[in-house]
Amino acid sequence: METMTILLIALSLAMDAFAVSIANGVSVTDFGKKEALKQGVYFGLFQFLMPLLGWLLGISVKNAMEAIDHWIAFFLLALIGGSMIWESLKQEEEEKSITILTNKNLVLQAIATSIDALAIGVSFAILQVNIVYASAIIGVVAFVLSYIGGMLGKHLGAFLQKKASIAGGIVLIAVGAKILLEHMQII
């Protein structure tokens, strides 16, 4: 898989963390660079670890799936991307405002925003992607976007949250379609 494709996937996966980071920047009392750095570390670490875990799961069943691997990758990416778009478009529920960014809050947020990366890891195993390289890119991108998201949230507010998740979902669906079309030798 090309570095640009991995980077696009990383950007898409990081959109949930970016949106949560914006929300933290908006809602956490006295949010600053220290909090932005802390959430970046949590989100980046979980986004790095989850594809590795997914890859380990995927590699154990890879041989049984080789004939339909491109369909599985497409389905997983389209499902994740569609879910991101759906969650962004459905009626927003009232969210509890947090005033302190605790380690517990960050762990829960990091897990919630990195579940998609687990499924991507399964796809990477099927597609024989260098998982350490891909996971490192995903982790670094999540770290950077989480830091930036927190600082933007502090200054720009909730305006950006919905748009980031929709864009991420669209990119994941497009990457899935690209994988499918390449394996069908259409492109």
Side-chain angles (χ1 to χ4, degrees):
M1 184 175 286
E2 299 171 10
T3 299
M4 182 55 75
T5 302
I6 294 170
L7 186 58
L8 287 172
I9 290 170
L11 287 167
S12 298
L13 289 173
M15 287 299 117
D16 284 348
F18 180 68
V20 170
S21 297
I22 291 170
N24 286 343
V26 169
S27 61
V28 172
T29 305
D30 296 327
F31 190 92
K33 291 180 182 178
K34 179 182 173 186
E35 291 76 19
L37 182 63
K38 185 177 179 181
Q39 77 181 4
V41 168
Y42 273 89
F43 292 155
L45 180 63
F46 275 80
Q47 289 281 358
F48 170 77
L49 293 174
M50 289 297 220
L52 290 172
L53 180 59
W55 182 85
L56 289 172
L57 294 170
I59 203 72
S60 64
V61 296
K62 180 186 174 298
N63 290 336
M65 297 182 174
E66 281 185 343
I68 57 169
D69 61 355
H70 51 284
W71 286 102
I72 294 169
F74 169 72
F75 176 74
L76 288 172
L77 290 169
L79 184 66
I80 294 164
S83 175
M84 287 173 69
I85 294 168
W86 173 256
E87 291 296 320
S88 297
L89 294 176
K90 75 179 192 177
Q91 188 172 357
E92 296 176 18
E93 300 172 15
E94 285 188 37
E95 296 180 17
K96 293 190 282 186
S97 178
I98 56 175
T99 57
I100 300 172
L101 201 56
T102 65
N103 290 332
K104 180 182 175 184
N105 287 341
L106 283 171
V107 167
L108 292 174
Q109 290 175 346
I111 290 170
T113 59
S114 64
I115 295 296
D116 296 350
L118 181 75
I120 294 297
V122 173
S123 296
F124 283 173
I126 293 167
L127 298 172
Q128 300 178 353
V129 173
N130 179 336
I131 192 60
V132 175
Y133 177 70
S135 291
I137 291 173
I138 291 167
V140 168
V141 168
F143 168 80
V144 169
L145 286 182
S146 296
Y147 180 86
I148 292 169
M151 297 309 292
L152 282 174
K154 178 181 178 181
H155 300 292
L156 298 178
F159 161 75
L160 295 174
Q161 284 176 287
K162 189 174 183 177
K163 291 175 180 26
S165 290
I166 292 171
I170 290 169
V171 170
L172 282 180
I173 292 169
V175 168
K178 179 182 181 274
I179 289 169
L180 180 63
L181 294 173
E182 283 175 349
H183 280 278
M184 296 175 70
Q185 299 179 345
I186 295 174
I187 60 170

